[in-house]
Amino acid sequence: MKLIAFYLPQFHETPENNLWWGKGFTEWTNTRKAEPLYPGHYQPKEPYQDYYYDLTDESAREWQAQIARKHGIYGFCYYHYWFKGKRFLHKPFDEVLQKGKPDFPFCLSWANDPWTRTWTGSNQVLADQDYGEKADWKEHFEFLLTAFKDKRYIRVENKPLFLIYRPSDIPNCEEMLDYWQKLAVENGLDGIYIIQTLNRFNNPELKGFDARLEFEPGYTMYLTNGIRCGRVVDGYKQKFDQMDYDKYWSSILERIANEDSLKTYLGAFLDWDNSARVGANSPLIFTGATPQKFSFYLTQQIKKSLEINSDILFINAWNEWGEGTYLEPDKKYEFQYLEAVKKALENNGLL
């Protein structure tokens, strides 16, 4: 069983974020300004020992890999941002490739959302997606190839594993994927193992994928319309959507996995509270999460994954601090969520 954690690279300064959000902006900017919305609301979420790292610092990346490995995380899935030849938030991953460190498995997920100001309630487009044609697809592939050939890159069936977050947004997606597979073989690979991320943007009918991923909590939210406890307004600073953590996880565990010919990988999530990121723009907040509950639910999800012969499980996330789902240690729980992962593996006889 390989537990792979999604990894957000937005913890370093970039020219684009300086322009769009103000000088010095990183994801820490969002988390530092967060405030509790009701009594007992855990905000702001602060890193353990005030370690507000910068991901351009090699020692920070080494620390992440060290504690991840120690607690049973197999590898990171770095979000990859590609806009017809233009890349964002790429410096940390470029250094991972160039320096060969940390010596820790990784793969890529193409987060192909258009970038907008929706966090603030605005529809202004900051960077739109334009998928282009064959020449553009080839340019994208040639960048990916540098990662795919790295000895640390995670493979399935000897093929580099690559996720696409919103494939239904891509015109001629099936043609593009077929072209990439031909380029992969021409460049000495056995192909690419391409996974469609199932969420509210999914289109299960698309061809060209080797597997699908039930991305949580987004996929269950799409299927159930949220299992919402209701919108809370009265007596609090602002309105927000509230979700019951236990009911949500029960829905995930009770769902029967897809049994068609396409492989399904399961997902897990720790918690969710995006009030730090979206501010007053109707945040979504789960209630009832604890490290102990997460360990219990992850134990069951690992067992379910093994029962359907899926040896990879994706966890949301390693460091989504602005969305309140992160394995990294914080001041309140310290290393308890990481210890919960280790315990879940032990419960399944995997450590």
Side-chain angles (χ1 to χ4, degrees), residues 89-103:
L89 304 180
H90 53 87
K91 190 171 182 180
F93 182 68
D94 285 352
E95 293 188 0
V96 168
L97 285 181
Q98 292 162 8
K99 296 185 177 182
K101 299 178 180 179
D103 186 11

Side-chain angles (χ1 to χ4, degrees), residues 192-258:
I192 311 169
Y193 195 88
I194 305 177
I195 297 178
Q196 176 179 183
T197 306
L198 298 180
N199 48 45
R200 62 190 177 93
F201 307 105
N202 78 92
N203 179 1
E205 303 305 316
L206 276 175
K207 307 298 182 183
F209 293 91
D210 297 277
R212 58 170 68 93
L213 160 66
E214 296 182 350
F215 183 78
E216 301 297 354
Y219 184 54
T220 297
M221 192 175 301
Y222 162 75
L223 291 177
T224 63
N225 196 27
I227 323 175
R228 299 182 185 274
C229 296
R231 178 157 290 183
V232 180
V233 182
D234 294 340
Y236 301 120
K237 293 183 179 180
Q238 65 189 57
K239 63 183 179 181
F240 58 93
D241 285 330
Q242 189 179 54
M243 312 286 278
D244 186 293
Y245 185 73
D246 298 295
K247 288 182 180 179
Y248 212 83
W249 258 110
S250 293
S251 181
I252 292 172
L253 293 170
E254 290 167 2
R255 186 169 64 241
I256 297 174
N258 290 300

Side-chain angles (χ1 to χ4, degrees), residues 127-181:
D128 205 357
Q129 282 287 1
D130 181 348
Y131 298 96
E133 298 180 353
K134 271 195 173 181
D136 306 293
W137 303 344
K138 185 176 183 181
E139 182 184 7
H140 192 180
F141 172 83
E142 288 173 348
F143 163 74
L144 292 173
L145 186 64
T146 61
F148 291 165
K149 288 194 170 182
D150 192 288
K151 66 179 182 179
R152 296 163 293 173
Y153 203 95
I154 298 169
R155 288 169 170 77
V156 176
E157 300 174 2
N158 202 38
K159 302 173 184 178
L161 186 159
F162 184 67
L163 288 75
I164 302 180
Y165 186 65
R166 293 171 61 163
S168 58
D169 287 3
I170 305 174
N172 306 313
C173 181
E174 295 175 14
E175 182 184 352
M176 182 190 75
L177 298 184
D178 182 64
Y179 182 56
W180 279 1
Q181 295 289 10

